[in-house]
Amino acid sequence: MHVPDVSVVVIVYNDAERLPTAVRSVLDQTLHGVEVVIVDDCSQDRSFAVAQELEAAHPGRVRALRLPENSGGCGAPRNHGIQQATGTYVMFLDSDDVLERNACRNMLDAAERTGSDLVSGMCVRVHLDNRWGKTTEWYPWIYSRTRTLESITEDPDLLVYDTLSTNKCYRRAFLLEQGLEFPVGIHYEDLLFSAQAYVAARRITLIPNHVYYWNVVEKAATKSISNRRHEIANFVHRMEIHRRVDELLAAKGFTEIKTAKDAKFLKHDLVLHLRDLPLLGDTYRQEFARLANGYLAGIDPAAYDNVTHLQAICAYLLGKEDWDNLLPAADAMTNKGRLTSPLAERDGRVYWCAAHIDDPADAEARRILDVTEQGFHTTPLSSLVLGNRLTSYEDDGRGSVTLAGSVVNPLGRIAPEAELKASLEFRARRQVGVRSFSFPVESVRHAGDTIEWRATADIGSTVRPLGIIDAVWDVRLKLTAGGTRLTTRVSVGGVDLESAARLRVRPRLTRLVSDRFEPEVTKKGNLSYVLTAQGPAAVRTQALISGAMHGRTAGVVKKTLRRALRARRNLGSGEQKVKVYHEVFSKLPIKKGTVVFESHMGKQYSDSPKAIYEEMVRQGVAFEAVWSYAGAKPTGFPKEATLVKRWSWPYLRALAQAEFWIDNQGFPLALTKRPGTTYIQTWHGSALKRMGFHEPRTKAQGRAAQDRFQAAVNRFDHFLVRSEHDVRTLAKGFRLRDEVLLRTGYPRNDALVEAHRAETQSGERVRGPLAAELGIDPGRKVLLYAPTFRANADGAVEGFEFPFDVEEFADRLGDRFTLLVRTHYLNSVSLPPSVAGRVIDVSGHHDITPLLALADGLITDYSSVMFDYAVLDRPMLFFAYDYDSYAGDIRGTYFDLKEKAPGPVVATADELFQAIAAFDEADAKYAEARQRFLTEFGEYDRGDAARQIVEKFFTRSGK
């Protein structure tokens, strides 16, 4: 009888609908020697019948087993699967998840190649109810490259963070020899089983491949065990599992792992439950404190040095059972950046609260509660996000609601004499048409450490949602204190909304689907309203929509929805937006201090706009920052700034009312800049290729097109240059007047100038945290490959393909060099798994500056990154494999790269590899050429560009 290579144990309970998909992901594996062992935990639906049908359809490949009674967890069915499996290796799969198609093959290959007892790959969380198709890699830094550990002590992070059992492949003989089983009758069984397997394994291999897709439904009607944190039994189980893992580590003498695990407990496990505390009652809190504090007493004190200030504060206040100060701290931890405490000051230091810090017997209080370094007392008040706690909620049962709340006044920074005004805003989360409705706040007053307010909102007669599309509405308080404007979300805190009535509303489309506003507490504890149904007609229609969407009534709903979407498309057309921008938004007053930033048309938080923004923050400039982003969801942008999607209505309004525009490429050409707005164009690189009116294509355009282009560049009030080369090329190509030019250098290069200065003074290279983040071997030199994009004859961007064999690079040079690949932002790249750790894709890093600072050498072709890297005075290689076609195409270049290049110019992959092998020789040979290059193309890069810009335009000394 043939022994399967891998047995995949699929556990199921009341999940007949999804089970076939999970099993199909196993049967479709590229490795054919795989068997499926389905273990049904005595389901009450058709799960076991479906399992039997799958067994009948795939004889010899699928087996269906059933436990005699429900075990209440995952442990018992998995243990039964281990016993019944016949494969050399065992994997686990839940019925609502799927395996990546190559998972079994990749894990088996790694296990057989290394002789490991356990192979682990990357899990990906798939958020099924996220409309943007969101996915999240599970602790990706652990799986940055293929590596084999002889002991878990070589990388404690694996045991501390990746506690899943499902993204792993186990040698079955290893499980049986060690007697490894999941605990039964207790939740979080993965934590203990994984810890036992890690500790017992003689060898562990990690691979950078995706192997397991964990399907997550955040808004599921029935919460998973791990998401039912409001049940105290859930926390009891978590604590018991942690105690058992601690006993295991203590028995093995793994002290360092215990310390790392304690830090993770404070940062993750405890935080998960602390976030829910503001919404739970006194009985739960008291029992929670008893359980948590019993465990916290055994935490290694050194663990507190590896957590954030808020995590340490919460753990400390929990130990004191100081709910008055803990609950605001928990709210701040959930809502990152929100300041929820009035703070206290003693002897020039700032503390989270006044309690405990004056107790001479409590030596830890001042150390843990000290938040001076967070800068709450120096950050401009307008840049702080102040906590705003709901203190009462009343409704009339029809369409009116009265809210009262309390806004934190940290250190009394809102002076008692400051005039207070406020309005309450109901704002649609999906902004379609009319986006918000405001109500005056009839009472707003100083109350010591807080600002208290009270407002009545007649929602029924005022708020008119579109319906269907704008289903969720958030509540905000807009407060003006003196000359400072503040916007805050309203957090629910301990106010009970269970008995709150659904408020009547009149959607503009139809009441057929929704006719009520229901108050709801968001995941972060804030007040929102959700469109729902209460009237008989609306309830019936909701039921129809939730069903098969058939029949006459459902047809009416579909027709209404199509009409709404059509209206939305017309409202959001480019032509309509440009019209509204000029005829409506541009008539609004300019908002002093508002700065709109954009980098590479919203694709990144990077470059000189980022450097200027961070210098403004560093200097404490009072301003309102608005950052533009492109794509479905912004990543990497500053949390403190207002984020607006490019070409959205908020984006257009922000541009129309901004005092400053700052970008490095160009805001939409169709938008006219108002006279009261100052446009600082930082640009994104010195030019090799001809630009603007120097390009034959531009010259060949008709007069109307040339006039439109000239009008667009005429919007620039200031244009940054880094050399007289830029003046002769870019400035002339754009026909810019000399008074527009700012000879400051590029703010993005300030960091590179400083890095070179520090390296020259100390004689040492400091790689910094990015090298560790990328998993770079300290013994290897780092090369950055940063090519520019290629365009076809029509100017369209072509896809990126490697002009050399990266596997050959890894084989020939991977023992001496790590190659970082950073494609142009218009391109993307895919690397083969075989080069993991030796060739690393860093294209996802928005800002290239830290990558330049990290690299010991640069490989490029014609990218303007060559001019920036010259600041560092490090070796450069130019892989110009298509030089003749690139330099000789219709666009043309400003100079011959081969004549001025401060490094070898090579044309073939073999020449490239030879040049890399002779890296040190090229460093010395081209030293003078690099200096000449920098003198010609970077004469104004002196390290103070951002400071010059900020002082000229944004500080008192500059105005």
Side-chain angles (χ1 to χ4, degrees):
M1 177 179 173
H2 175 69
V3 176
D5 293 314
V6 180
S7 294
V8 179
V9 176
V10 183
I11 64 170
V12 60
Y13 176 69
N14 288 350
D15 198 16
E17 184 176 349
R18 291 179 293 190
L19 176 61
T21 302
V23 172
R24 173 53 57 191
S25 77
V26 183
L27 296 175
D28 287 345
Q29 287 290 299
T30 54
L31 179 70
H32 297 299
V34 180
E35 73 163 348
V36 184
V37 180
I38 305 173
V39 183
D40 174 53
D41 198 9
C42 199
S43 296
Q44 297 175 343
D45 68 351
R46 292 193 69 255
S47 292
F48 186 58
V50 171
Q52 290 178 311
E53 291 166 4
L54 289 166
E55 180 181 44
H58 304 280
R61 296 199 66 193
V62 177
R63 285 187 287 144
L65 310 171
R66 190 182 196 190
L67 298 186
E69 59 183 26
N70 179 250
S71 68
C74 301
R78 285 179 182 158
N79 292 338
H80 191 63
I82 294 172
Q83 296 299 324
Q84 296 298 319
T86 61
T88 306
Y89 296 88
V90 175
M91 294 173 63
F92 302 107
L93 173 64
D94 293 345
S95 60
D96 53 346
D97 300 328
V98 294
L99 293 182
E100 194 276 335
R101 192 164 181 265
N102 299 291
C104 292
R105 177 180 296 281
N106 287 335
M107 299 182 95
L108 176 68
D109 287 348
E112 297 288 87
R113 186 176 67 254
T114 62
S116 295
D117 291 325
L118 188 161
V119 175
S120 190
M122 196 184 302
C123 172
V124 179
R125 284 167 59 93
V126 181
H127 301 265
L128 297 179
D129 53 353
N130 180 274
R131 58 183 174 169
W132 311 118
K134 176 183 175 183
T135 61
T136 309
E137 292 181 335
W138 190 253
Y139 300 115
W141 80 82
I142 295 175
Y143 297 98
S144 61
R145 57 191 174 89
T146 300
R147 54 201 175 105
T148 298
L149 312 177
E150 299 299 327
S151 166
I152 188 60
T153 57
E154 294 181 22
D155 190 351
D157 277 357
L158 188 58
L159 182 145
V160 171
Y161 289 97
D162 188 2
T163 55
L164 301 177
S165 66
T166 47
N167 61 333
K168 297 172 177 60
C169 179
Y170 311 84
R171 191 182 300 276
R172 183 167 176 267
F174 158 70
L175 296 179
L176 297 177
E177 290 166 5
Q178 297 293 328
L180 294 181
E181 291 187 337
F182 289 87
V184 177
I186 187 169
H187 303 320
Y188 304 105
E189 58 280 300
D190 270 20
L191 274 71
L192 182 57
F193 180 83
S194 295
Q196 292 171 331
Y198 284 140
V199 169
R202 292 178 292 271
R203 186 172 292 164
I204 302 166
T205 294
L206 311 179
I207 61 174
N209 310 78
H210 292 171
V211 298
Y212 193 91
Y213 293 118
W214 176 4
N215 292 325
V216 180
V217 181
E218 298 285 353
K219 300 176 183 177
T222 302
K223 293 290 186 183
S224 66
I225 291 168
S226 59
N227 284 326
R228 297 201 294 267
R229 292 187 290 274
H230 60 284
E231 300 173 6
I232 196 64
N234 185 293
F235 192 60
V236 172
H237 286 208
R238 188 185 288 272
M239 291 295 91
E240 176 59 25
I241 286 292
H242 273 283
R243 287 191 183 90
R244 294 188 192 183
V245 175
D246 290 347
E247 291 171 0
L248 172 68
L249 297 178
K252 294 291 184 179
F254 290 164
T255 306
E256 290 185 8
I257 297 181
K258 171 65 164 62
T259 302
K261 177 183 169 295
D262 285 346
K264 189 253 187 177
F265 176 82
L266 295 173
K267 291 192 291 188
H268 176 74
D269 300 82
L270 185 62
V271 167
L272 286 176
H273 293 268
L274 285 173
R275 286 173 174 169
D276 295 328
L277 282 185
L279 306 176
L280 300 170
D282 290 340
T283 303
Y284 178 96
R285 292 174 190 165
Q286 290 168 6
E287 181 63 11
F288 174 81
R290 183 186 69 80
L291 293 165
N293 288 332
Y295 185 78
L296 287 172
I299 291 283
D300 184 346
Y304 285 89
D305 296 330
N306 297 310
V307 301
T308 68
H309 72 284
L310 267 177
Q311 290 162 352
I313 287 170
C314 284
Y316 171 83
L317 294 173
L318 177 62
K320 297 291 185 181
E321 296 190 38
D322 180 355
W323 304 109
D324 289 340
N325 290 302
L326 171 59
L327 297 181
D331 183 15
M333 194 160 49
T334 303
N335 294 275
K336 190 174 181 181
R338 181 182 292 179
L339 177 58
T340 57
S341 173
L343 308 177
E345 189 171 359
R346 297 286 191 279
D347 305 320
R349 305 296 294 178
V350 178
Y351 299 91
W352 180 257
C353 57
H356 317 295
I357 59 177
D358 296 322
D359 182 356
D362 192 344
E364 290 291 284
R366 290 206 174 194
R367 183 180 70 84
I368 294 176
L369 297 174
D370 191 329
V371 293
T372 308
E373 304 307 320
Q374 304 307 312
F376 295 130
H377 57 304
T378 58
T379 301
L381 193 60
S382 59
S383 298
L384 292 176
V385 181
L386 300 181
N388 183 2
R389 182 175 59 88
L390 192 66
T391 54
S392 72
Y393 183 101
E394 304 169 11
D395 61 63
D396 63 0
R398 298 185 298 277
S400 181
V401 62
T402 299
L403 308 177
S406 177
V407 179
V408 167
N409 183 8
L411 299 174
R413 294 185 60 185
I414 301 176
E417 64 272 14
E419 182 183 358
L420 302 177
K421 295 179 182 179
S423 62
L424 195 64
E425 179 188 61
F426 288 72
R427 185 180 181 86
R429 195 171 294 174
R430 295 186 70 183
Q431 298 176 13
V432 182
V434 178
R435 300 187 301 274
S436 64
F437 296 88
S438 294
F439 301 88
V441 171
E442 60 257 26
S443 172
V444 55
R445 65 185 185 86
H446 295 274
D449 288 339
T450 60
I451 304 296
E452 295 185 352
W453 58 272
R454 184 179 180 86
T456 297
D458 187 1
I459 292 175
S461 61
T462 306
V463 177
R464 297 295 308 281
L466 185 64
I468 304 174
I469 298 170
D470 51 351
V472 183
W473 291 66
D474 297 317
V475 182
R476 291 174 168 84
L477 182 79
K478 293 198 165 184
L479 173 67
T480 301
T484 303
R485 290 173 294 179
L486 305 166
T487 300
T488 66
R489 286 294 302 273
V490 179
S491 63
V492 174
V495 175
D496 183 13
L497 298 182
E498 289 294 326
S499 59
R502 295 179 176 183
L503 305 173
R504 295 176 183 174
V505 289
R506 294 180 298 154
R508 283 177 286 159
L509 286 178
T510 177
R511 296 188 191 181
L512 186 62
V513 176
S514 54
D515 58 1
R516 291 293 190 275
F517 248 172
E518 183 173 8
E520 179 181 84
V521 182
T522 70
K523 285 172 58 178
K524 294 188 175 182
N526 298 316
L527 177 63
S528 290
Y529 284 86
V530 178
L531 276 172
T532 186
Q534 184 164 311
V539 170
R540 285 197 299 271
T541 306
Q542 285 274 359
L544 285 171
I545 293 175
S546 299
M549 286 294 285
H550 295 305
R552 182 177 301 175
T553 306
V556 173
V557 176
K558 290 180 179 179
K559 186 175 181 180
T560 303
L561 178 58
R562 283 194 294 270
R563 190 181 301 123
L565 293 174
R566 192 180 307 116
R568 184 188 183 200
R569 282 194 294 270
N570 292 338
L571 188 64
S573 69
E575 181 181 352
Q576 183 71 12
K577 284 184 173 180
V578 171
K579 184 178 180 181
V580 171
Y581 170 84
H582 288 105
E583 297 182 5
V584 180
F585 292 160
S586 292
K587 303 297 189 293
L588 299 173
I590 286 178
K591 297 167 67 175
K592 292 295 183 182
T594 298
V595 186
V596 178
F597 297 88
E598 185 171 286
S599 179
H600 295 303
M601 296 183 289
K603 292 182 175 67
Q604 300 176 353
Y605 171 62
S606 66
D607 215 84
S608 292
K610 173 188 175 184
I612 294 172
Y613 166 79
E614 292 183 349
E615 180 65 19
M616 292 172 72
V617 173
R618 190 160 36 245
Q619 292 196 30
V621 174
F623 71 110
E624 180 183 349
V626 179
W627 268 94
S628 151
Y629 72 91
K633 189 173 181 179
T635 56
F637 289 84
K639 298 291 190 297
E640 301 77 14
T642 299
L643 305 184
V644 293
K645 186 173 182 178
R646 202 170 197 266
W647 272 113
S648 67
W649 292 111
Y651 173 80
L652 297 173
R653 181 165 181 167
L655 284 174
Q657 292 192 271
E659 184 180 7
F660 288 92
W661 292 0
I662 299 179
D663 92 311
N664 67 351
Q665 194 151 343
F667 288 109
L669 302 183
L671 305 182
T672 302
K673 181 185 71 69
R674 298 174 66 179
T677 300
T678 299
Y679 190 167
I680 302 173
Q681 173 56 255
T682 70
W683 204 241
H684 54 275
S686 299
L688 171 61
K689 280 272 189 176
R690 295 186 178 275
M691 300 291 293
F693 287 99
H694 290 163
E695 287 189 56
R697 289 192 187 96
T698 306
K699 294 177 180 178
Q701 289 178 340
R703 180 65 179 269
Q706 290 189 16
D707 288 346
R708 284 194 298 270
F709 180 74
Q710 187 65 65
V713 296
N714 284 348
R715 296 178 302 173
F716 303 160
D717 295 297
H718 304 283
F719 187 89
L720 273 56
V721 296
R722 55 193 304 266
S723 68
E724 288 303 307
H725 168 77
D726 290 351
V727 176
R728 295 188 299 271
T729 56
L730 290 169
K732 297 292 185 184
F734 293 150
R735 296 177 178 173
L736 299 176
R737 303 182 313 278
D738 191 70
E739 58 267 27
V740 171
L741 306 182
L742 292 179
R743 290 169 168 83
T744 59
Y746 281 172
R748 72 183 185 194
N749 288 343
D750 290 348
L752 300 181
V753 174
E754 179 57 33
H756 179 252
R757 184 179 295 133
E759 184 178 333
T760 302
Q761 291 173 353
S762 68
E764 296 181 4
R765 281 288 312 280
V766 179
R767 283 187 167 179
L770 181 57
E773 179 187 329
L774 296 173
I776 293 174
D777 186 333
R780 297 179 190 167
K781 290 189 180 295
V782 178
L783 299 178
L784 176 65
Y785 178 46
T788 190
F789 68 94
R790 302 296 193 276
N792 60 25
D794 298 323
V797 176
E798 297 178 342
F800 176 78
E801 293 184 6
F802 270 105
F804 60 90
D805 188 333
V806 289
E807 292 181 310
E808 183 180 356
F809 169 88
D811 292 340
R812 289 176 59 171
L813 300 164
D815 59 335
R816 291 177 53 198
F817 298 92
T818 297
L819 182 67
L820 307 182
V821 178
R822 213 283 191 162
T823 60
H824 191 276
Y825 71 91
L826 295 173
N827 293 134
S828 60
V829 66
S830 179
L831 293 173
S834 59
V835 301
R838 295 173 292 176
V839 183
I840 303 172
D841 177 19
V842 292
S843 303
H845 286 251
H846 277 197
D847 197 351
I848 196 174
T849 302
L851 297 170
L852 294 173
L854 171 62
D856 297 297
L858 174 71
I859 304 172
T860 187
D861 41 23
Y862 323 105
S863 171
S864 65
V865 74
M866 71 176 81
F867 302 110
D868 304 295
Y869 195 74
V871 171
L872 293 164
D873 190 26
R874 297 177 192 165
M876 284 188 268
L877 304 176
F878 296 85
F879 186 28
Y881 57 90
D882 56 351
Y883 185 81
D884 291 338
S885 60
Y886 191 91
D889 80 353
I890 189 171
R891 185 171 170 183
T893 61
Y894 284 117
F895 62 87
D896 188 337
L897 177 64
K898 290 183 177 180
E899 291 182 2
K900 293 182 181 289
V905 179
V906 298
T908 68
D910 194 56
E911 289 176 352
L912 173 66
F913 295 153
Q914 290 179 30
I916 295 173
F919 182 82
D920 294 332
E921 295 177 25
D923 187 2
K925 180 179 178 181
Y926 286 88
E928 291 185 10
R930 290 199 300 271
Q931 287 302 312
R932 289 195 301 271
F933 194 80
L934 177 61
T935 300
E936 181 172 357
F937 298 108
E939 60 189 297
Y940 301 132
D941 275 333
R942 305 184 186 98
D944 62 350
R947 181 176 59 78
Q948 287 191 61
I949 297 299
V950 174
E951 291 182 353
K952 180 176 179 64
F953 296 103
F954 300 105
T955 64
R956 291 179 181 176
S957 61
K959 283 198 168 186

